[in-house]
Amino acid sequence: MDKQKQDGAAQDAGDRPVLTTRQGHPVHDNQSLRSVGERGPATLENYQFIEKITHFDRERIPERVVHARGTGAHGWFEPTGRIGDEPASRYTRAKVLTQVGVRTPVFVRFSTVIGGRESPETKRDPRGFAIKFKTVEGNWDLVGNNLKIFFIRDAVKFPDMIHAFKPDPVSNREEPWRFYDFIANHPESLHMVTWVKSPWGIPATYREMEGSGVNTYNLVNDQGIAHLVKFHFVPRQGVRNLTAEQAAQIQAQDYGHATRDLYDAIDRGDHPEWEFCVQLMADGDHPELDFDPLDDTKRWPEDRFPLLPVGRLVLDRNPGNVHAETEQAAFGTGVLVDGIDFSDDKMLQGRTLSYSDTQRYRVGPNYLQLPINAPQAAARAHTNQQGGAMAAYVDPTGANRHINYEPSLLGGLREAPRPQKDYHQWVEGHLGRYQTTRTQDDYRQAGDRYRTFEPWERDELVANVGGDLKACPEPIQLRMVWHLWHCDPDYARRVAEVAGIDLERARALPPLPGKPAPGENRPRTTYTSGQAEEPARAQQATPARETAPAK
């Protein structure tokens, strides 16, 4: 890090310019979405977030901002009609998961996250695992990765995270100090870092990696009863990862080895297959757990919430044209079918706005008319949406083409029948920007992961993190080793030795300002200002309006 960067790092916080929106409004809180209570849903009037995320969605054209490097394949999904040993209908009314013998067409796109479209597939990076199920009830998109977790738990931080991981805007180089500067200020990221910097950060091929929806959803049955759910895909081919040395050897010969491997396997009839599984939990906040089940930086322990088989996913056909199919394929976390619903996972809610907004910008407002994105014939779209750039046709609206609104006494479209019993979540709380109360596992799960790795995996992890920290300024070095010490002392000691960092100086650091000590929860629900949440108050009757005195 050169002297100019060091001077900037040492600048007193009080001398820095104040962060604002593009409207010039000061940003008082850049850490949390506004929500109804700490665990409640985010609100649509999050203007600061909407401006931030929608501008971020438009930072690149036409290449994807993230997940630019990728490949894809067609296939099908077939359910067993059961979730574990029980009928799937006990938990969901979604036909895609309950109709035995029905093969749902799918398109799957695999990708890296940070690198550009021509970047090497040996890059250390989470791998995207996005699936478009073309069900008889319309499309269902499941957009996740291979590691089951993510770096952050609040979507308002997503642009900051990607900016930190992308190349420096001045040098145009990916710099370790930028990555670890962000991580050092977000202890919840330590779990993901421990996975990514291990061999799990470089899957050998797309066929030999796991997939996961990452976020928490709800399954809803025909009685309107909901269960929290995580979606997972386990490869029948087994899991295989690469060391840094193995990846370098492959990269020297082939930048697109994973694309080549998938294409060639399907071409020769060796169709990759995954077992589709779910983890289930009763709906609720589960105060008995050390983590919030809506926190996407945490895994649900499989000894307590086992993977329950649901069906099989098979890829058996390569795209006919990469641009028309793989590159124009557009996924969104808000694309759900009846029987699969949202949870209050804040990353899921933010992604639901961002992903579809990105596609309308990147591909165009009529991206759902493209064959790769359009629903299957049994669920053909009938809407009153019209116009926009590149409209290939007008969605059918019924026999009377003069009616492009609803309702009408003279024809047009009608509403679908409502479910007899629907899921009605109770939501109550103060509107505000909240800190996460359950922070105890921010360090514990990272330490557990370190201890359960094979010795060679730990060696790789330590060498990778230690090597990165050599290129970081001392304040970041010391804070990262302090974090790792609270994950596992051996983890920190070994990384400090590799990087040449004074372990005792790192251990002497105080906790991060405004955050609880490692291994502890916040004692009470608090706003991001540090103020404790006010107690609930009984609703007061609206006072009678005063009347003007008679003249």
mmCIF file of all heavy atoms in Angstrom, residues 243-265:
data_model
loop_
_atom_site.group_PDB
_atom_site.id
_atom_site.type_symbol
_atom_site.label_atom_id
_atom_site.label_comp_id
_atom_site.label_asym_id
_atom_site.label_seq_id
_atom_site.Cartn_x
_atom_site.Cartn_y
_atom_site.Cartn_z
ATOM 1 N N THR A 243 -6.722 -26.857 -4.620
ATOM 2 C CA THR A 243 -5.778 -26.029 -3.881
ATOM 3 C C THR A 243 -5.373 -24.858 -4.770
ATOM 4 O O THR A 243 -5.613 -24.851 -5.981
ATOM 5 C CB THR A 243 -4.523 -26.817 -3.487
ATOM 6 O OG1 THR A 243 -3.829 -27.197 -4.688
ATOM 7 C CG2 THR A 243 -4.889 -28.083 -2.701
ATOM 8 N N ALA A 244 -4.728 -23.866 -4.183
ATOM 9 C CA ALA A 244 -4.269 -22.713 -4.963
ATOM 10 C C ALA A 244 -3.277 -23.154 -6.028
ATOM 11 O O ALA A 244 -3.286 -22.646 -7.164
ATOM 12 C CB ALA A 244 -3.657 -21.675 -4.037
ATOM 13 N N GLU A 245 -2.422 -24.104 -5.700
ATOM 14 C CA GLU A 245 -1.433 -24.587 -6.664
ATOM 15 C C GLU A 245 -2.099 -25.312 -7.829
ATOM 16 O O GLU A 245 -1.750 -25.095 -9.003
ATOM 17 C CB GLU A 245 -0.443 -25.520 -5.968
ATOM 18 C CG GLU A 245 0.661 -26.046 -6.885
ATOM 19 C CD GLU A 245 1.636 -26.964 -6.171
ATOM 20 O OE1 GLU A 245 1.484 -27.162 -4.949
ATOM 21 O OE2 GLU A 245 2.548 -27.488 -6.845
ATOM 22 N N GLN A 246 -3.067 -26.159 -7.532
ATOM 23 C CA GLN A 246 -3.779 -26.862 -8.599
ATOM 24 C C GLN A 246 -4.519 -25.871 -9.504
ATOM 25 O O GLN A 246 -4.524 -26.022 -10.730
ATOM 26 C CB GLN A 246 -4.770 -27.859 -7.993
ATOM 27 C CG GLN A 246 -4.130 -29.051 -7.308
ATOM 28 C CD GLN A 246 -5.140 -29.870 -6.516
ATOM 29 O OE1 GLN A 246 -6.124 -29.329 -5.984
ATOM 30 N NE2 GLN A 246 -4.896 -31.169 -6.409
ATOM 31 N N ALA A 247 -5.143 -24.872 -8.903
ATOM 32 C CA ALA A 247 -5.867 -23.874 -9.694
ATOM 33 C C ALA A 247 -4.921 -23.113 -10.612
ATOM 34 O O ALA A 247 -5.252 -22.833 -11.777
ATOM 35 C CB ALA A 247 -6.602 -22.909 -8.767
ATOM 36 N N ALA A 248 -3.733 -22.767 -10.104
ATOM 37 C CA ALA A 248 -2.761 -22.034 -10.923
ATOM 38 C C ALA A 248 -2.308 -22.874 -12.112
ATOM 39 O O ALA A 248 -2.122 -22.344 -13.224
ATOM 40 C CB ALA A 248 -1.567 -21.625 -10.069
ATOM 41 N N GLN A 249 -2.134 -24.167 -11.914
ATOM 42 C CA GLN A 249 -1.718 -25.042 -13.010
ATOM 43 C C GLN A 249 -2.792 -25.117 -14.095
ATOM 44 O O GLN A 249 -2.489 -25.074 -15.290
ATOM 45 C CB GLN A 249 -1.420 -26.441 -12.463
ATOM 46 C CG GLN A 249 -0.193 -26.502 -11.566
ATOM 47 C CD GLN A 249 -0.028 -27.845 -10.876
ATOM 48 O OE1 GLN A 249 -0.890 -28.724 -10.960
ATOM 49 N NE2 GLN A 249 1.087 -28.019 -10.177
ATOM 50 N N ILE A 250 -4.051 -25.195 -13.672
ATOM 51 C CA ILE A 250 -5.154 -25.236 -14.651
ATOM 52 C C ILE A 250 -5.269 -23.905 -15.371
ATOM 53 O O ILE A 250 -5.422 -23.852 -16.603
ATOM 54 C CB ILE A 250 -6.471 -25.594 -13.950
ATOM 55 C CG1 ILE A 250 -6.430 -27.032 -13.421
ATOM 56 C CG2 ILE A 250 -7.658 -25.415 -14.894
ATOM 57 C CD1 ILE A 250 -7.606 -27.397 -12.543
ATOM 58 N N GLN A 251 -5.173 -22.805 -14.617
ATOM 59 C CA GLN A 251 -5.338 -21.471 -15.200
ATOM 60 C C GLN A 251 -4.270 -21.192 -16.250
ATOM 61 O O GLN A 251 -4.512 -20.459 -17.225
ATOM 62 C CB GLN A 251 -5.298 -20.412 -14.106
ATOM 63 C CG GLN A 251 -5.557 -18.994 -14.611
ATOM 64 C CD GLN A 251 -5.650 -17.995 -13.476
ATOM 65 O OE1 GLN A 251 -6.216 -18.288 -12.430
ATOM 66 N NE2 GLN A 251 -5.082 -16.809 -13.664
ATOM 67 N N ALA A 252 -3.092 -21.753 -16.073
ATOM 68 C CA ALA A 252 -2.022 -21.544 -17.048
ATOM 69 C C ALA A 252 -2.358 -22.133 -18.411
ATOM 70 O O ALA A 252 -1.789 -21.722 -19.429
ATOM 71 C CB ALA A 252 -0.720 -22.159 -16.524
ATOM 72 N N GLN A 253 -3.288 -23.085 -18.421
ATOM 73 C CA GLN A 253 -3.653 -23.766 -19.665
ATOM 74 C C GLN A 253 -5.037 -23.401 -20.178
ATOM 75 O O GLN A 253 -5.279 -23.454 -21.392
ATOM 76 C CB GLN A 253 -3.584 -25.290 -19.451
ATOM 77 C CG GLN A 253 -2.251 -25.813 -18.970
ATOM 78 C CD GLN A 253 -1.145 -25.615 -19.994
ATOM 79 O OE1 GLN A 253 -1.390 -25.738 -21.190
ATOM 80 N NE2 GLN A 253 0.055 -25.301 -19.526
ATOM 81 N N ASP A 254 -5.971 -23.055 -19.274
ATOM 82 C CA ASP A 254 -7.372 -22.921 -19.686
ATOM 83 C C ASP A 254 -8.108 -21.972 -18.748
ATOM 84 O O ASP A 254 -8.235 -22.255 -17.559
ATOM 85 C CB ASP A 254 -8.033 -24.305 -19.676
ATOM 86 C CG ASP A 254 -9.411 -24.314 -20.315
ATOM 87 O OD1 ASP A 254 -9.946 -23.225 -20.591
ATOM 88 O OD2 ASP A 254 -9.963 -25.413 -20.537
ATOM 89 N N TYR A 255 -8.596 -20.826 -19.282
ATOM 90 C CA TYR A 255 -9.357 -19.883 -18.472
ATOM 91 C C TYR A 255 -10.794 -20.356 -18.237
ATOM 92 O O TYR A 255 -11.446 -19.884 -17.305
ATOM 93 C CB TYR A 255 -9.394 -18.521 -19.182
ATOM 94 C CG TYR A 255 -8.407 -17.510 -18.652
ATOM 95 C CD1 TYR A 255 -7.147 -17.909 -18.210
ATOM 96 C CD2 TYR A 255 -8.717 -16.167 -18.580
ATOM 97 C CE1 TYR A 255 -6.233 -16.990 -17.731
ATOM 98 C CE2 TYR A 255 -7.810 -15.227 -18.099
ATOM 99 C CZ TYR A 255 -6.574 -15.654 -17.681
ATOM 100 O OH TYR A 255 -5.675 -14.745 -17.191
ATOM 101 N N GLY A 256 -11.277 -21.255 -19.082
ATOM 102 C CA GLY A 256 -12.677 -21.676 -19.004
ATOM 103 C C GLY A 256 -12.825 -23.164 -18.796
ATOM 104 O O GLY A 256 -13.694 -23.796 -19.412
ATOM 105 N N HIS A 257 -12.039 -23.735 -17.890
ATOM 106 C CA HIS A 257 -12.026 -25.192 -17.726
ATOM 107 C C HIS A 257 -13.364 -25.725 -17.234
ATOM 108 O O HIS A 257 -13.785 -26.816 -17.627
ATOM 109 C CB HIS A 257 -10.923 -25.595 -16.747
ATOM 110 C CG HIS A 257 -11.282 -25.397 -15.305
ATOM 111 N ND1 HIS A 257 -11.332 -24.140 -14.706
ATOM 112 C CD2 HIS A 257 -11.663 -26.285 -14.341
ATOM 113 C CE1 HIS A 257 -11.703 -24.276 -13.451
ATOM 114 N NE2 HIS A 257 -11.912 -25.553 -13.195
ATOM 115 N N ALA A 258 -14.062 -24.962 -16.368
ATOM 116 C CA ALA A 258 -15.324 -25.459 -15.805
ATOM 117 C C ALA A 258 -16.426 -25.447 -16.851
ATOM 118 O O ALA A 258 -17.277 -26.352 -16.888
ATOM 119 C CB ALA A 258 -15.724 -24.631 -14.586
ATOM 120 N N THR A 259 -16.442 -24.417 -17.707
ATOM 121 C CA THR A 259 -17.397 -24.389 -18.815
ATOM 122 C C THR A 259 -17.153 -25.556 -19.759
ATOM 123 O O THR A 259 -18.087 -26.243 -20.189
ATOM 124 C CB THR A 259 -17.276 -23.058 -19.575
ATOM 125 O OG1 THR A 259 -17.717 -21.991 -18.723
ATOM 126 C CG2 THR A 259 -18.104 -23.063 -20.842
ATOM 127 N N ARG A 260 -15.877 -25.785 -20.091
ATOM 128 C CA ARG A 260 -15.517 -26.897 -20.973
ATOM 129 C C ARG A 260 -15.956 -28.236 -20.357
ATOM 130 O O ARG A 260 -16.524 -29.096 -21.043
ATOM 131 C CB ARG A 260 -14.010 -26.907 -21.219
ATOM 132 C CG ARG A 260 -13.543 -28.021 -22.166
ATOM 133 C CD ARG A 260 -12.024 -28.132 -22.159
ATOM 134 N NE ARG A 260 -11.392 -26.864 -22.499
ATOM 135 C CZ ARG A 260 -11.190 -26.442 -23.737
ATOM 136 N NH1 ARG A 260 -11.587 -27.197 -24.760
ATOM 137 N NH2 ARG A 260 -10.599 -25.290 -23.961
ATOM 138 N N ASP A 261 -15.708 -28.410 -19.067
ATOM 139 C CA ASP A 261 -16.041 -29.673 -18.406
ATOM 140 C C ASP A 261 -17.541 -29.953 -18.446
ATOM 141 O O ASP A 261 -17.966 -31.078 -18.751
ATOM 142 C CB ASP A 261 -15.548 -29.633 -16.957
ATOM 143 C CG ASP A 261 -15.993 -30.842 -16.149
ATOM 144 O OD1 ASP A 261 -15.324 -31.885 -16.218
ATOM 145 O OD2 ASP A 261 -17.038 -30.739 -15.460
ATOM 146 N N LEU A 262 -18.363 -28.929 -18.141
ATOM 147 C CA LEU A 262 -19.808 -29.117 -18.141
ATOM 148 C C LEU A 262 -20.314 -29.414 -19.547
ATOM 149 O O LEU A 262 -21.106 -30.342 -19.751
ATOM 150 C CB LEU A 262 -20.503 -27.873 -17.570
ATOM 151 C CG LEU A 262 -22.028 -27.930 -17.532
ATOM 152 C CD1 LEU A 262 -22.497 -29.002 -16.550
ATOM 153 C CD2 LEU A 262 -22.614 -26.563 -17.145
ATOM 154 N N TYR A 263 -19.861 -28.632 -20.515
ATOM 155 C CA TYR A 263 -20.312 -28.821 -21.896
ATOM 156 C C TYR A 263 -19.941 -30.215 -22.401
ATOM 157 O O TYR A 263 -20.786 -30.927 -22.979
ATOM 158 C CB TYR A 263 -19.704 -27.750 -22.794
ATOM 159 C CG TYR A 263 -20.196 -27.817 -24.225
ATOM 160 C CD1 TYR A 263 -21.277 -27.045 -24.643
ATOM 161 C CD2 TYR A 263 -19.582 -28.650 -25.161
ATOM 162 C CE1 TYR A 263 -21.748 -27.103 -25.949
ATOM 163 C CE2 TYR A 263 -20.039 -28.725 -26.467
ATOM 164 C CZ TYR A 263 -21.116 -27.951 -26.855
ATOM 165 O OH TYR A 263 -21.581 -28.030 -28.150
ATOM 166 N N ASP A 264 -18.704 -30.608 -22.189
ATOM 167 C CA ASP A 264 -18.242 -31.903 -22.695
ATOM 168 C C ASP A 264 -18.968 -33.062 -22.022
ATOM 169 O O ASP A 264 -19.293 -34.067 -22.676
ATOM 170 C CB ASP A 264 -16.738 -32.043 -22.498
ATOM 171 C CG ASP A 264 -15.933 -31.144 -23.439
ATOM 172 O OD1 ASP A 264 -16.540 -30.564 -24.365
ATOM 173 O OD2 ASP A 264 -14.710 -31.010 -23.228
ATOM 174 N N ALA A 265 -19.223 -32.949 -20.714
ATOM 175 C CA ALA A 265 -19.908 -34.028 -19.994
ATOM 176 C C ALA A 265 -21.316 -34.234 -20.553
ATOM 177 O O ALA A 265 -21.740 -35.370 -20.813
ATOM 178 C CB ALA A 265 -19.964 -33.716 -18.502
#
